Amino acid sequence: MTKPLKIVVLAKQVPDTRNVGKNAMKEDGTVNRAALPAIFNPEDLNALEQALRLKDRIPGTTVQLLTMGPGRAAGIIREGLFRGADGGVLLTDRKFAGADTLATSYALMQAIGKLNPDLIIAGRQAIDGDTAQVGPQVAEKLHWPQVTYAEDILSCNGERIAVKRRLERGVETVSAPLPALITVHGSAAACRSRHAKHLLKYKHAKTLSELQDAGNNAYDTNQPEYLRITEWGVADVGGDEQQFGLAGSPTKVKKIENIVFQAKESKRLTASDTDVNGLIKELMANHTIG
Amino acid sequence: MNNILVYCEMEGGKIADVSLELLTKGRGLAEQLGCRLEALAIGYRLAGVEKELANYGADVVHVADDARLDPFRTLPHAAITIGVIREEQPQIVLFGATSIGRDLAPRVSSALKSGLTADCTSLEIGDHADTKGNVYKNLLYQIRPAFGGNIIATIINPEHRPQMATVREGVMKKEPAGAPKAAEVKKTDIGKYLSDTDFVVDIIERHIEERKIDIKGAGIIVSGGYGVGSRENFKLLFELATVLGGEVGASRAAVDAGFADHARQVGQTGVTVRPKLYIACGISGQIQHTAGMDQSAMVISINTDADAPINQIADYAIVGDLNEIIPKMIKSYRENSK
């Protein structure tokens, strides 16, 4: 029998930047975050599914979600619990704020040290930054091998893991020893839906901060432990304070600009035969086409 | 002087286009900074590789040549890249934002505790003064769309070296140097950097397809967005592209929705194109997309929304339904080309 795995899934709550409507930009041209719903980063859901499949396959395997963000990011841990994860940790602290990918990976690495997994699975990249850096950076900090762009975890015998990777122009199957970190591509299987059983069980799972916001100072000792979502700050994960958050971020944002289109003198045309025909004739006359 | 280093990717025994594009850009930056341009080639059977790298402006070529280094595997390539950077102390290191570069560069940046900016659409040299009164000269401005492509951010690394960035294929132009000189070849002593633990990941199977779709080189691109509505409706775009002798492109939203293949994606997370004619059908014109096509010689937009942002950069904005307009265009072209 295969040895059970301790899996950590790295997940991020992100603003849904994919279909940004007109109201997503404020009058002054800055991004109106409030107009964008906060969602479970899509490829992190693909990562969660790969973890849950291993849990299905290898009895005794556990799946923990690890996320970093503000208090409301506890929402994606609950979402993970509803879909079959066993627990989760929210890294939240003002000192984590302003982190670039390097400082983010440092904080995650410190937390992973406490969780002690055999395998880390993360989405390839988050849709708010599209950098695809945090996975490989966490792997490097742990001195673990990384397998990026996984489309499917083919097998795992507790010692090694075989992974099919989706590359730009092809596929590759690799075998890596555990512990390892895998990032999952969006072409991997979609995540299973919430399960009614889990939804019922974890509906009231909360972080201590969420309880406090609701006016309760402590967990009800009569309630089961699984309703407690762990929250860790810098003091809990330890490490060098200079490497967290803004202080630990080598990259700085010098400038943010709105998109200023160099508006051209565009000719407005209608769908009429005359307009379309006129355009085609013009394009042919100036040798753009034909 | 600290130089500029370009990690050069090998693709089927050849230097990848993206690496030659980065050398072209690196050459300009090196000239501006008054430093040299170095190339790092890691692979197997690389004899002669320095000639082409020199043609694109490399003054120094580091060659790490060993059977175990091809095909690419993260750990040995990272160990060598980190080793060479520690030894040579470049001020700037550039990688292609490819499957390889986006796997390798973050690993290298983490080991060096240096910043990395992904998918830059522009690289410039400039100064920076911070709020504490510190002034930094000649920094690399790493410019990229952010937040799903709704804003453009300029990123700098004031304190950390090297300044590292990845750039997508096609974003920079590829041009051989005007008067290339022979490059100084430095054979990398890989034994110094590699250990057995760098070879723990085995490649079991590999299928790399030849490039079938190459929209980068197309003179005419008919591109579709989410507004096209379905994979089925994209056929109309293919028809127009065939008639005009062009290729079909797509926006990220259309690719994400499954209407078109990723190889056709134009924009920040796809390919950058500069055709003589770009016909944007049902594309709203988010910066994520326009960053990859705004250098087209002529842009025609077809959109039901007269206020779509794409219309601001279009030479001709046709307001209406593409399902009605495209067949009219095809018909008109056929009639007029007789």
Side-chain angles (χ1 to χ4, degrees):
Chain A
M1 212 181 84
T2 311
K3 185 184 78 150
L5 297 172
K6 276 173 78 176
I7 304 175
V8 166
V9 172
L10 304 181
K12 186 179 185 187
Q13 190 178 53
V14 292
D16 193 350
T17 56
R18 291 169 303 177
N19 294 305
V20 177
K22 282 178 197 154
N23 60 350
M25 302 303 277
K26 292 188 207 158
E27 286 280 308
D28 62 1
T30 56
V31 178
N32 179 14
R33 284 173 190 256
L36 301 174
I39 60 165
F40 202 118
N41 178 51
E43 287 185 326
D44 296 343
L45 278 174
N46 297 109
L48 175 61
E49 177 60 23
Q50 290 298 316
L52 294 173
R53 287 181 178 203
L54 284 171
K55 180 177 150 83
D56 293 342
R57 251 186 270 166
I58 308 169
T61 291
T62 58
V63 176
Q64 296 277 329
L65 286 148
L66 175 61
T67 189
M68 185 167 101
R72 65 171 184 274
I76 68 160
I77 293 183
R78 266 188 299 279
E79 187 61 48
L81 292 168
F82 297 160
R83 294 174 192 243
D86 299 284
V89 176
L90 168 63
L91 295 180
T92 188
D93 194 317
R94 277 169 195 276
K95 289 177 185 153
F96 291 138
D100 69 2
T101 63
L102 199 71
T104 301
S105 61
Y106 181 76
L108 293 172
M109 179 270 287
Q110 287 296 118
I112 287 158
K114 293 187 68 171
L115 295 168
N116 195 30
D118 310 289
L119 177 64
I120 299 171
I121 310 181
R124 173 186 57 145
Q125 63 191 36
I127 58 169
D128 55 346
D130 289 318
T131 72
Q133 292 175 2
V134 169
Q137 288 176 334
V138 169
E140 191 283 330
K141 292 198 175 340
L142 295 164
H143 306 288
W144 290 8
Q146 70 196 42
V147 179
T148 49
Y149 326 128
E151 192 166 74
D152 196 14
I153 294 176
L154 304 172
S155 66
C156 181
N157 63 9
E159 299 291 324
R160 293 189 76 87
I161 189 158
V163 180
K164 180 179 163 201
R165 304 178 67 212
R166 170 59 53 182
L167 306 178
E168 274 161 331
R169 285 195 314 285
V171 289
E172 184 180 86
T173 303
V174 301
S175 152
L178 295 179
L181 182 144
I182 294 171
T183 75
V184 180
H185 192 270
S187 63
C191 191
R192 62 196 64 185
S193 323
R194 297 170 172 190
H195 193 289
K197 183 180 78 182
H198 303 312
L199 194 60
L200 222 53
K201 180 174 173 185
Y202 292 112
K203 201 164 64 178
H204 299 292
K206 285 198 167 42
T207 61
L208 190 54
S209 307
E210 284 178 315
L211 275 188
Q212 287 165 346
D213 288 347
N216 301 313
N217 284 324
Y219 283 113
D220 180 349
T221 47
N222 294 322
Q223 281 196 334
E225 289 256 347
Y226 61 72
L227 292 181
R228 302 179 183 186
I229 296 176
T230 310
E231 257 177 322
W232 285 343
V234 165
D236 300 297
V237 298
D240 173 8
E241 288 218 1
Q242 285 307 304
Q243 295 197 49
F244 292 111
L246 199 59
S249 300
T251 59
K252 310 284 178 206
V253 177
K254 178 172 169 59
K255 197 165 63 172
I256 293 280
E257 282 169 295
N258 292 307
I259 309 315
V260 186
F261 289 113
Q262 302 219 319
K264 292 182 185 170
E265 287 275 315
S266 61
K267 253 191 209 167
R268 295 285 165 136
L269 304 176
T270 68
S272 73
D273 290 354
T274 324
D275 276 11
V276 173
N277 204 22
L279 172 64
I280 293 290
K281 277 186 176 163
E282 196 174 327
L283 295 178
M284 292 178 78
N286 63 24
H287 302 289
T288 303
I289 57 175
Chain B
M1 189 67 182
N2 305 89
N3 291 331
I4 297 176
L5 179 73
V6 174
Y7 171 88
C8 294
E9 212 169 287
M10 303 304 297
E11 188 182 282
K14 277 176 49 194
I15 303 154
D17 272 359
V18 68
S19 305
L20 299 176
E21 292 160 10
L22 288 176
L23 285 172
T24 307
K25 180 69 195 179
R27 200 166 77 216
L29 295 175
E31 201 171 301
Q32 217 178 330
L33 292 167
C35 69
R36 304 223 288 170
L37 179 63
E38 304 190 27
L40 169 61
I42 304 176
Y44 185 43
R45 294 186 174 133
L46 299 178
V49 79
E50 70 279 2
K51 288 193 199 82
E52 183 155 22
L53 295 173
N55 277 342
Y56 283 86
D59 301 301
V60 180
V61 177
H62 300 271
V63 181
D65 196 336
D66 188 285
R68 295 171 299 169
L69 299 174
D70 181 58
F72 170 87
R73 281 184 286 176
T74 313
L75 297 178
H77 277 241
I80 293 169
T81 307
I82 293 161
V84 168
I85 292 173
R86 286 204 170 121
E87 193 119 344
E88 302 292 332
Q89 303 280 319
Q91 55 177 315
I92 293 171
V93 183
L94 305 177
F95 297 83
T98 58
S99 295
I100 289 176
R102 297 177 107 236
D103 174 275
L104 174 68
R107 184 125 192 151
V108 171
S109 90
S110 173
L112 298 169
K113 297 193 171 61
S114 117
L116 170 66
T117 305
D119 301 346
C120 295
T121 48
S122 176
L123 297 172
E124 292 168 15
I125 303 295
D127 300 338
H128 176 65
D130 69 12
T131 47
K132 293 175 196 130
N134 300 312
V135 177
Y136 302 87
K137 288 276 178 203
N138 289 333
L139 293 181
L140 181 68
Y141 287 181
Q142 301 148 57
I143 301 160
R144 75 181 300 251
F147 214 71
N150 298 289
I151 51 176
I152 288 205
T154 301
I155 311 290
I156 49 170
N157 315 19
E159 302 282 356
H160 296 73
R161 294 293 176 274
Q163 307 163 86
M164 307 207 327
T166 69
V167 179
R168 292 240 164 212
E169 181 180 335
V171 170
M172 305 295 175
K173 278 186 187 150
K174 182 180 96 172
E175 267 165 9
K181 284 177 278 192
E184 176 190 344
V185 179
K186 288 190 177 174
K187 209 168 164 254
T188 307
D189 178 7
I190 57 171
K192 217 162 55 176
Y193 305 129
L194 293 175
S195 67
D196 289 346
T197 54
D198 290 320
F199 296 98
V200 292
V201 176
D202 299 323
I203 297 175
I204 298 168
E205 221 181 322
R206 214 160 180 274
H207 297 286
I208 301 298
E209 293 144 21
E210 287 288 311
R211 286 164 184 264
K212 282 191 201 120
I213 305 165
D214 185 15
I215 60 168
K216 203 175 64 169
I220 296 173
I221 296 174
V222 181
S223 209
Y226 193 73
V228 174
S230 69
R231 206 174 174 98
E232 183 66 26
N233 288 355
F234 248 81
K235 284 186 184 158
L236 208 48
L237 277 62
F238 278 97
E239 210 180 311
L240 178 60
T242 310
V243 169
L244 299 179
E247 261 294 355
V248 171
S251 74
R252 179 180 185 163
V255 172
D256 283 351
F259 301 168
D261 297 331
H262 182 260
R264 299 193 182 277
Q265 189 174 316
V266 173
Q268 187 205 355
T269 51
V271 185
T272 296
V273 295
R274 300 179 181 82
K276 59 177 181 174
L277 176 61
Y278 191 90
I279 306 177
C281 311
I283 292 177
S284 64
Q286 281 190 31
I287 184 70
Q288 142 78 236
H289 184 74
T290 54
M293 49 65 73
D294 62 359
Q295 293 173 55
S296 304
M298 181 182 288
V299 177
I300 297 175
S301 87
I302 303 174
N303 209 300
T304 49
D305 179 3
D307 297 325
I310 189 82
N311 289 344
Q312 295 181 31
I313 60 163
D315 299 273
Y316 297 92
I318 313 178
V319 180
D321 180 3
L322 61 97
N323 292 302
E324 182 191 340
I325 294 162
I326 295 177
K328 282 186 185 176
M329 291 172 86
I330 295 170
K331 184 165 166 266
S332 169
Y333 179 76
R334 285 197 172 129
E335 283 172 4
N336 288 302
S337 58
K338 270 176 200 159

